[in-house]
Amino acid sequence: MKYAFYVIGILILTLGISINIQSNLGTSPFDALLVGLSKNVGLTVGSWEIIIALLLICINSFIKRQRPEFLGLVTAFITGIGIDMWLYLLHNLVTPEIWYTKTACYSIGLVISGLGTATYLHTNFAPIPVDRLTLILQELTRTNIFFSKTVIYLIFLIAALISNGPIGIGTILTVCFGGLILNYFMPLTKKFLDPILSQNSTSSNLEKEKNLSI
């Protein structure tokens, strides 16, 4: 059950990311970097997700002074596939043209991304390296997820500007509200998922004890 919510969370996250990209109103700083590299260098947005993830794994390892968490590449791989899949499916379905429909589209994508991130992070299984970096920063600064997420956004905003990524009003919305939305969903997903995951864990333990007794 834990791994099911892990995959579901990533699929929700990548749906939100893809909706933001399709809104043509700018994207989050990290995704703007991926789109900028895709357009100017080549490869798909999902491919750059995996490449940047490998780089961040090395950075996280250096900061924490521990072995690289290469398991995070599994999450990055699923995320990359999810982004490319949703972009393909939404290519002709989500094409807002008027500013207020673009704004509504982007806002929906931002909320969906926050829900997806909170869901998969709560399973505590192989966070995307950029989210692991956010958690590391939160631990080092002893602040909340809102502060650390905003700092990470600002860092990637600079990188996105250098790569000529799609920076717009949506990017500003993400920097201002992305961390806040994630901070809002984290306790909600905990409240919803904890009973389900604990019940599943209890059932698994009882099954194991039953098999051992037999």
Side-chain angles (χ1 to χ4, degrees):
M1 185 63 70
K2 172 182 177 180
Y3 302 112
F5 281 114
Y6 161 75
V7 174
I8 290 172
I10 293 178
L11 290 178
I12 295 173
L13 165 62
T14 52
L15 172 60
I17 291 173
S18 301
I19 291 175
N20 286 345
I21 294 174
Q22 286 298 109
S23 72
N24 200 28
L25 203 65
T27 64
S28 74
F30 182 72
D31 298 323
L33 172 61
L34 302 181
V35 174
L37 290 171
S38 177
K39 289 183 177 180
N40 297 305
V41 180
L43 302 179
T44 65
V45 176
S47 298
W48 280 109
E49 167 78 34
I50 299 171
I51 294 171
I52 298 298
L54 181 58
L55 176 62
L56 289 176
I57 285 174
C58 296
I59 293 175
N60 292 343
S61 174
F62 176 77
I63 295 175
K64 291 287 288 183
R65 296 181 181 180
Q66 62 184 26
R67 296 178 61 182
E69 297 178 337
F70 287 113
L71 193 60
L73 275 179
V74 175
T75 306
F77 185 75
I78 298 174
T79 303
I81 292 176
I83 292 174
D84 288 342
M85 177 191 72
W86 286 120
L87 285 176
Y88 176 78
L89 294 175
L90 299 177
H91 181 67
N92 295 318
L93 293 177
V94 181
T95 55
E97 298 181 357
I98 306 173
W99 70 269
Y100 57 82
T101 58
K102 290 183 178 181
T103 304
C105 182
Y106 192 91
S107 300
I108 292 171
L110 191 59
V111 172
I112 291 175
S113 296
L115 174 61
T117 302
T119 300
Y120 101 85
L121 277 181
H122 190 68
T123 63
N124 198 31
F125 177 76
I128 299 172
V130 66
D131 289 329
R132 171 62 77 188
L133 181 59
T134 301
L135 296 175
I136 290 173
L137 182 61
Q138 179 190 13
E139 179 184 341
L140 292 176
T141 58
R142 297 180 181 179
T143 55
N144 58 29
I145 198 81
F146 169 68
F147 174 81
S148 58
K149 190 74 172 179
T150 302
V151 171
I152 296 298
Y153 277 146
L154 290 175
I155 293 173
F156 281 105
L157 176 60
I158 297 173
L161 288 170
I162 295 174
S163 69
N164 197 29
I167 303 297
I169 185 66
T171 309
I172 298 175
L173 290 174
T174 302
V175 172
C176 294
F177 299 108
L180 195 62
I181 291 172
L182 178 59
N183 199 53
Y184 171 78
F185 276 121
M186 288 292 277
L188 291 180
T189 53
K190 175 180 175 62
K191 183 179 180 180
F192 175 76
L193 293 179
D194 274 355
I196 299 175
L197 295 177
S198 61
Q199 181 180 4
N200 185 70
S201 178
T202 302
S203 299
S204 297
N205 290 334
L206 289 174
E207 185 68 24
K208 289 180 180 178
E209 291 177 2
K210 181 180 180 181
N211 292 333
L212 287 174
S213 63
I214 294 175

